Amino acid sequence: MTIPPEREAQILRYFHVERWRVNTIARQLGLHHSTVRRVLAQAGVPRPDGDTRRSIVDAYTPFIIETLARFPTLTAARLFGMVQARGYAGSASHFRHRVALLRPRRPAEAYLRLRTLPGEQAQVDWAHFGYLQIGRARRPLMAFVMVLSYSRALFLRFYLDARMASFLAGHAAAFAAFGGCARVLLYDNLKSAVLERQGEAIRFHPTLLAFAAHHRFEPRPVAIARGNEKGRVERAIRYARSAFFAARRFTSLADLNAQAAAWCSGPAAARPCPEDASMTVGAAFAQERPVLLPLPDDAFPTAELIAVRIGKTPYARFDGNDYSVPPEHVCRGLTVLADTQRVRIVEGTTVLAEHARCYDRGQQIESPAHIAALVELKRGGRRHRITDELVRAVPALRELLVRAAARGYNLGGVTRALQRLRQHYSITELAAAVAEALARDVPHPNAVRLALDRRRDSRGQPLATAVTLPEHLQRRDVIVTPHALSSYDQLTEGSHDDHDQRSD
């Protein structure tokens, strides 16, 4: 039980000045006697009152003290089992209380205040800021944070994962924002940085080592259970949670990152510098920036590289989504190069496909050229492709097609009619009309078209032309401009002149 400091002072005054006994203090203040004893013990008071009474634990006290001296973190439950095997017949609660009093206290450790030179060190860490729902995917919102140890200049960038590609992209963006990099980058024991560690033997992630060699900085992990060594980035994360992210509204990840960049260069840079309160973080960074390591001329490739196997369908699976490839590359192994913005599928040095990265799950990201090539190869798949596109746009169309098939309608004609409606009406209008046709139990395109026309007529809008005439009927209605007959008169005039000459 935690009690306020004024109550602790009251307990000590009653004990020392008024000479009250422990049980009297506990009864008058409405506390448990163990709480009063704990406060007195923490103040260095010898155990009063009932300490002279004998306890059945006394016979095992030397064994408990000796065992705790060898194994300071041994639990009271394990000790209770050990003394039970040696004949202890008392209760577990009383035994745990005595063990808590006999357990040696670890002495408090003092820490030196670490100071660094300008441009010497930066500290890096990931921070978890909850989740974002993107379609059917629940993505973690991860913040990449880098802090220059001297000036406390802060870089903050949000990502939807903590993969190596995002880790390196965060470094590259931070270096670009700072205009250089520090000589030493300090990491916690992240999997992106440290693959394995046994004492002082450390095995770094090879990709991070290559990235560090490219930018000429030294990656250095902190000691195990030594969070104070990277206290600057820990405090920066707490500062970002309270001063930036709390009650923050944003429409997209790009909007959030734009706000984070403005905050880092604005309020975060205007705060007092902890190293020298007479200047701001921005002023300290202006002194530190010239001594940062210059950036190399060429950029380090930060894309994630994954080998994939293309099956019988022309799609490459990456991060829960399918990305299309040219159909002639099915049933072979390819490579996916993915960064935070795009996904490229390559074979050797040839880029076969490039798509915008999707953070949803279960989606098919397709290139129209790939699908057109596939349809050209598989003419029979045209109707199924149109059906899939319609159902993806309006999921209720699946139920309409099922009912139409049950009534014996021609699904090819139904699909083509719905596709023509899709070309002239929005998805919202079409979805509402399909729902109305299903509610009336008329699974036919004509019912959908009538519902669309009725909804537009009720709003006073002109009806859309949803019927396209066949090509031969369109040619029949073409207006033909007749040729002027005056040009033929010149031919007849020439023939009359010849006839007159022969008559003469």
Side-chain angles (χ1 to χ4, degrees):
M1 177 181 179
T2 303
I3 60 176
E6 56 270 17
R7 185 55 61 90
E8 293 183 2
Q10 203 173 16
I11 291 172
L12 294 174
R13 184 173 65 84
Y14 286 150
F15 179 78
H16 289 290
V17 178
E18 306 297 341
R19 302 294 180 180
W20 286 7
R21 298 169 64 88
V22 171
N23 290 337
T24 302
I25 297 173
R27 185 170 55 255
Q28 295 301 323
L29 298 182
L31 301 173
H32 195 269
H33 63 85
S34 63
T35 303
V36 178
R37 294 181 190 278
R38 176 176 57 80
V39 172
L40 296 175
Q42 290 175 346
V45 178
R47 289 186 57 78
D49 294 335
D51 292 349
T52 58
R53 293 180 297 178
R54 295 185 58 80
S55 170
I56 58 176
V57 184
D58 293 343
Y60 303 93
T61 299
F63 170 76
I64 295 172
I65 294 175
E66 180 184 356
T67 305
L68 288 176
R70 295 172 55 195
F71 308 102
T73 60
L74 194 65
T75 63
R78 184 69 192 97
L79 274 172
F80 182 69
M82 294 172 69
V83 297
Q84 272 190 324
R86 289 165 171 78
Y88 177 74
S91 67
S93 60
H94 178 61
F95 180 81
R96 286 197 301 269
H97 175 68
R98 293 297 296 269
V99 169
L101 297 175
L102 296 173
R103 187 182 298 278
R105 299 288 184 258
R106 186 172 61 181
E109 184 178 0
Y111 297 96
L112 290 173
R113 183 176 179 86
L114 302 177
R115 295 184 180 275
T116 58
L117 297 174
E120 184 67 22
Q121 184 193 91
Q123 298 183 7
V124 181
D125 205 356
W126 281 114
H128 191 276
F129 280 74
Y131 294 88
L132 289 182
Q133 191 70 32
I134 302 178
R136 290 179 288 182
R138 187 169 180 257
R139 297 281 184 173
L141 183 61
M142 304 298 297
F144 176 88
V145 183
M146 181 181 292
V147 179
L148 295 178
S149 296
Y150 172 76
S151 64
R152 303 301 203 278
L154 173 64
F155 175 82
L156 176 66
R157 178 69 59 88
F158 291 89
Y159 296 92
L160 295 176
D161 56 47
R163 295 172 177 261
M164 178 57 75
S166 301
F167 193 56
L168 298 183
H171 281 76
F175 294 161
F178 291 149
C181 67
R183 288 166 174 77
V184 176
L185 263 61
L186 203 62
Y187 300 94
D188 199 352
N189 292 279
L190 303 168
K191 288 297 183 183
S192 301
V194 179
L195 292 181
E196 187 178 4
R197 181 169 187 162
Q198 293 293 335
E200 296 300 324
I202 301 171
R203 184 162 68 92
F204 283 98
H205 198 293
T207 306
L208 179 63
L209 286 179
F211 183 82
H214 183 79
H215 290 85
R216 306 294 188 267
F217 69 84
E218 176 192 351
R220 185 183 299 172
V222 300
I224 297 177
R226 294 284 181 174
N228 63 295
E229 294 184 6
K230 62 179 187 65
R232 291 171 173 83
V233 71
E234 296 288 352
R235 286 190 293 272
I237 291 173
R238 292 197 299 268
Y239 175 55
R241 289 187 190 280
S242 60
F244 171 74
F245 193 75
R248 177 71 54 176
R249 294 182 178 273
F250 54 93
T251 58
S252 63
L253 186 66
D255 178 39
L256 178 61
N257 282 327
Q259 295 184 45
W263 177 76
C264 288
S265 60
R271 72 189 193 277
C273 178
E275 294 291 339
D276 186 356
S278 64
M279 60 180 176
T280 64
V281 169
F285 173 65
Q287 297 178 4
E288 186 176 19
R289 184 169 187 171
V291 297
L292 294 174
L293 293 177
L295 300 179
D297 295 332
D298 55 330
F300 186 87
T302 60
E304 187 174 1
L305 189 147
I306 297 177
V308 295
R309 178 72 182 176
I310 309 299
K312 294 183 178 180
T313 55
Y315 295 95
R317 172 62 61 90
F318 172 72
D319 196 21
N321 296 301
D322 293 329
Y323 295 86
S324 68
V325 298
E328 60 269 19
H329 292 86
V330 296
C331 299
R332 67 175 66 181
L334 300 177
T335 302
V336 171
L337 294 175
D339 55 29
T340 59
Q341 301 296 328
R342 58 178 181 166
V343 174
R344 290 176 295 163
I345 301 145
V346 302
E347 184 178 32
T349 58
T350 305
V351 178
L352 303 179
E354 183 173 338
H355 303 275
R357 182 164 180 177
C358 176
Y359 284 97
D360 199 348
R361 290 197 184 276
Q363 299 299 310
Q364 287 185 339
I365 297 88
E366 301 170 337
S367 170
H370 300 161
I371 303 307
L374 179 61
V375 172
E376 189 65 26
L377 293 174
K378 302 290 184 180
R379 303 291 295 183
R382 184 186 300 274
R383 188 188 66 183
H384 300 289
R385 170 57 52 186
I386 295 175
T387 302
D388 291 342
E389 291 177 353
L390 288 172
V391 171
R392 262 202 310 272
V394 183
L397 281 176
R398 186 186 301 275
E399 177 65 21
L400 187 141
L401 293 173
V402 170
R403 294 190 191 181
R407 299 194 182 186
Y409 296 150
N410 186 337
L411 289 183
V414 170
T415 303
R416 288 190 294 272
L418 291 173
Q419 176 66 9
R420 288 194 293 269
L421 292 173
R422 171 69 183 88
Q423 295 172 355
H424 293 279
Y425 293 91
S426 67
I427 294 177
T428 304
E429 290 179 310
L430 187 59
V434 169
E436 183 177 338
L438 290 174
R440 295 172 55 200
D441 197 22
V442 185
H444 196 274
N446 289 339
V448 177
R449 180 175 56 80
L450 290 174
L452 288 168
D453 292 343
R454 186 163 51 252
R455 290 172 65 86
R456 285 207 167 186
D457 183 64
S458 65
R459 296 194 300 266
Q461 296 177 347
L463 303 182
T465 303
V467 178
T468 303
L469 295 175
E471 187 177 355
H472 69 281
L473 293 179
Q474 295 180 15
R475 288 198 302 266
R476 187 189 64 180
D477 295 335
V478 172
I479 299 176
V480 179
T481 303
H483 187 72
L485 298 179
S486 59
S487 58
Y488 294 99
D489 294 339
Q490 300 176 2
L491 299 176
T492 57
E493 290 176 0
S495 60
H496 288 309
D497 293 340
D498 293 340
H499 178 70
D500 294 339
Q501 291 176 2
R502 287 196 296 270
S503 300
D504 295 340

